[in-house]
Amino acid sequence: MGYIFCIMGKSATGKDTIYKMLSEQKRLSCNPIVLYTTRPIRAGEREGIEYHYVSNDRLDELLSQGRVIEVRAYQTVYGVWRYATVDDGQIDLSVQSYLMIGTLDVYTKLCDYFGRDHIIPIYIEVEDGLRLQRALDRERMQDPPKYTELCRRFLADTEDFSEKKLAEAGITHRFVNQELRQTVEQITDYIQSGFGNR
């Protein structure tokens, strides 16, 4: 039986880097799940690696075909950006386990679609001051930087990942990302040991 390991956390907690490093772990035989998004591609990102970058029309087409497992929309200062998990043939839990990045809402919808026993939450935390500094450092590298969107996203995370919502979703185990390689090692051990006492 395969599992989907859903990496979650507020913005700038290191989810993308952790996801990439776990994907490259030889000890874990987990395929990545590439999500779909209508947001513009960022500097350094690649189609089919971080996301499938699609138009709103293409995402609407996938919705009309009944191929979308979950979809969410964010009202940003640059317009509405949508993200979706699509049943496009890349997931087969009868033979393989998978890694993906998501939100609490994504996690609960995956549990509804595949069954809770198949979805393992990997929740990443970073102290807010450090997280804000990391987000600012990352945004400075964009051309042009979108500081207003950074602030909107940072504040929205407080609500999206509130303690109440974490408890409602059954998220109890957390990984504090102070030192990246140590965090990746802890997550790897957690996966290999059968997910602790979840």
Side-chain angles (χ1 to χ4, degrees), residues 111-136:
C111 288
D112 291 342
Y113 192 86
F114 292 106
R116 187 171 291 271
D117 288 345
H118 289 284
I119 315 301
I120 311 301
I122 306 291
Y123 185 69
I124 312 296
E125 284 188 327
V126 170
E127 185 273 325
D128 278 347
L130 177 57
R131 191 167 64 82
L132 183 57
Q133 185 62 59
R134 288 179 180 177
L136 185 58

Side-chain angles (χ1 to χ4, degrees), residues 12-78:
T13 53
K15 299 184 301 292
D16 292 334
T17 304
I18 288 169
Y19 169 80
K20 183 175 185 295
M21 291 174 73
L22 288 171
S23 297
E24 295 169 351
Q25 276 276 10
K26 290 189 175 22
R27 290 191 288 156
L28 301 177
S29 57
C30 297
N31 284 351
I33 297 174
V34 181
L35 303 182
Y36 288 62
T37 185
T38 62
R39 79 152 166 79
I41 191 168
R42 292 177 182 154
E45 292 181 335
R46 295 158 294 167
E47 160 58 33
I49 304 298
E50 285 80 13
Y51 292 98
H52 291 298
Y53 301 92
V54 296
S55 66
N56 277 298
D57 287 345
R58 175 60 179 147
L59 187 52
D60 287 339
E61 183 183 335
L62 291 167
L63 278 162
S64 69
Q65 294 170 355
R67 296 171 60 194
V68 175
I69 296 169
E70 61 80 26
V71 62
R72 61 221 114 97
Y74 300 99
Q75 179 61 57
T76 77
V77 296
Y78 299 96

Side-chain angles (χ1 to χ4, degrees), residues 6 8-10 121-125 161 166 171 173-175:
C6 186
M8 298 175 284
K10 297 175 181 176
I122 306 291
Y123 185 69
I124 312 296
E125 284 188 327
F161 291 97
L166 288 170
I171 306 299
H173 196 88
R174 304 173 189 213
F175 297 90

